[in-house]
Amino acid sequence: MEESERRQALAAFLRTRRARLSQAEVGLPARSRHRTPGLRREDVAELANIGVSWYTLLEQGKDVHPSKPVLESIAQALRLTHAEEKYLFLLAGHTLPVKAPPEEEEVPQNYGAWWMC
């Protein structure tokens, strides 16, 4: 896939993922009505903690190169599945970072007695 095709595929993917979510689903207050379904670009940028103009450039297929942390923030904001997140990273020219499984916490055996000390 050519670079420009990859950027356009990334842009289209982001738009479709944004369109499937509502402001209520992600905990944002309902704002004035808008013409397109789903979240606004401003909503995604706010949730991902990135600039609106920068996110807009991504959705327009411009030649920008998001870092892995930015992609992770966008994936979280758009509530992507693992497969969708992997595809997002692929389209952005990155590999998905290996995430360690969450460590299981063990409850100490003397847990019930700690407050008596």
Side-chain angles (χ1 to χ4, degrees):
M1 180 182 291
E2 261 186 50
E3 177 73 16
S4 62
E5 291 174 320
R6 187 187 55 74
R7 287 195 317 261
Q8 291 306 314
L10 174 61
F13 179 72
L14 290 172
R15 286 190 301 269
T16 61
R17 301 300 90 187
R18 179 171 56 88
R20 73 178 182 176
L21 293 172
S22 71
Q23 292 167 330
E25 287 177 295
V26 295
L28 292 175
R31 297 190 175 119
S32 61
R33 293 182 52 94
H34 47 97
R35 291 175 279 190
T36 58
L39 297 176
R40 300 177 310 159
R41 288 177 177 159
E42 293 84 357
D43 297 329
V44 176
E46 178 183 336
L47 291 167
N49 201 26
I50 60 175
V52 176
S53 57
W54 201 88
Y55 181 76
T56 300
L57 292 173
L58 271 176
E59 270 204 17
Q60 291 175 341
K62 303 295 183 187
D63 189 18
V64 294
H65 304 279
S67 65
K68 287 183 180 184
V70 166
L71 292 171
E72 288 174 338
S73 293
I74 292 170
Q76 185 176 7
L78 293 174
R79 299 189 175 186
L80 300 182
T81 65
H82 181 72
E84 290 169 332
E85 186 176 5
K86 189 175 179 180
Y87 186 61
L88 172 70
F89 273 76
L90 176 71
L91 290 175
H94 291 289
T95 56
L96 186 63
V98 176
K99 296 178 183 176
E103 292 183 31
E104 291 188 32
E105 293 184 37
E106 289 188 32
V107 177
Q109 290 187 2
N110 62 350
Y111 179 75
W114 69 267
W115 54 272
M116 294 175 18
C117 298

